[in-house]
Amino acid sequence: MFPPFNQNDRRRHARRHARVVTDVAIPSADPTPDQLISAGLILARQQSHQDALDYFDRALVLSPNHLDALKNRALTYVHLGQTREALVDLDRLIDLDPKNLWAYANRAIIFRDLGHYGNAVSDFTYLVKHDRPKRWQWLISRGSTFKLMGQYEEALQDFNLSLKNKPDNRWAISARDEMVLQVRHYS
């Protein structure tokens, strides 16, 4: 769910990596949080995540509740493998903006990856209720989490509900078929 900062191919990445210093020049002695975030994003796109983190931290010193700074710092923490720190920022984003679907989605994924399945199911359930355009996707994600928990009936129910929302979805068909085979095998 976390998007990569850099969507460019490796060649453009290599050319841009050499310009790190000139690309992140801050135009004033007293940069604004938005200027610091912009500079951090340039570094993040160049895979200089630790340097980017410094800019996001500086932006948050100036504006502790800056939503974009929190979002980008959480994403940077994930790229650095610091998922617990990312969770702190995602929790804060949700506290500041309780309807932030991006924060719920990414927090759910981190919870699932950490094995905190109950928390992941809770966040996926929130997304199923509040993110209508992607409801089918969140049903599959929640179903996959139920499967990891050994709750096969709930998983199968979510995969089938997803297919009702988007009948030709290969992801849901595959997940459902795997689940059916697994249930038959262990029955």
Side-chain angles (χ1 to χ4, degrees):
M1 184 71 205
F2 277 103
F5 282 111
N6 187 357
Q7 298 291 337
N8 299 319
D9 62 25
R10 289 186 187 274
R11 274 181 304 164
R12 283 193 282 184
H13 170 72
R15 281 192 309 234
R16 291 171 62 203
H17 189 68
R19 297 191 316 244
V20 169
V21 175
T22 58
D23 282 350
V24 296
I26 303 292
S28 67
D30 296 321
T32 67
D34 289 335
Q35 290 170 323
L36 291 167
I37 293 166
S38 293
L41 285 170
I42 290 168
L43 288 165
R45 286 185 194 107
Q46 297 170 343
Q47 306 301 313
S48 297
H49 297 297
Q50 191 60 51
D51 294 331
L53 188 62
D54 294 338
Y55 280 92
F56 301 137
D57 285 341
R58 287 176 55 197
L60 287 164
V61 166
L62 295 175
S63 180
N65 295 328
H66 198 290
L67 298 179
D68 283 338
L70 284 168
K71 176 182 177 181
N72 287 299
R73 188 170 73 174
L75 180 56
T76 303
Y77 279 138
V78 168
H79 283 283
L80 290 170
Q82 299 174 349
T83 53
R84 296 197 189 284
E85 291 84 350
L87 280 173
V88 170
D89 282 350
L90 293 169
D91 287 343
R92 199 153 139 215
L93 274 169
I94 291 169
D95 287 344
L96 294 169
D97 181 9
K99 294 181 181 180
N100 189 324
L101 298 176
W102 183 91
Y104 276 99
N106 289 292
R107 189 174 74 173
I109 291 166
I110 291 173
F111 280 146
R112 185 179 58 203
D113 290 348
L114 291 174
H116 300 185
Y117 301 134
N119 292 333
V121 166
S122 177
D123 281 353
F124 286 132
T125 299
Y126 179 88
L127 291 162
V128 165
K129 290 179 184 173
H130 299 294
D131 191 1
R132 286 283 178 203
K134 293 183 182 176
R135 184 173 192 257
W136 64 272
Q137 177 182 335
W138 304 128
L139 284 162
I140 295 170
S141 295
R142 187 176 70 183
S144 297
T145 306
F146 279 135
K147 181 179 172 185
L148 290 169
M149 298 169 75
Q151 297 180 5
Y152 302 132
E153 302 247 343
E154 292 87 346
L156 189 56
Q157 184 178 21
D158 275 356
F159 298 144
N160 286 329
L161 283 171
S162 179
L163 284 167
K164 283 184 181 178
N165 284 276
K166 193 170 182 178
D168 59 345
N169 179 3
R170 291 179 189 249
W171 184 22
I173 292 169
S174 174
R176 182 202 57 201
D177 291 349
E178 261 183 52
M179 191 75 262
V180 168
L181 287 173
Q182 189 165 359
V183 168
R184 283 184 188 155
H185 179 74
Y186 289 106
S187 297

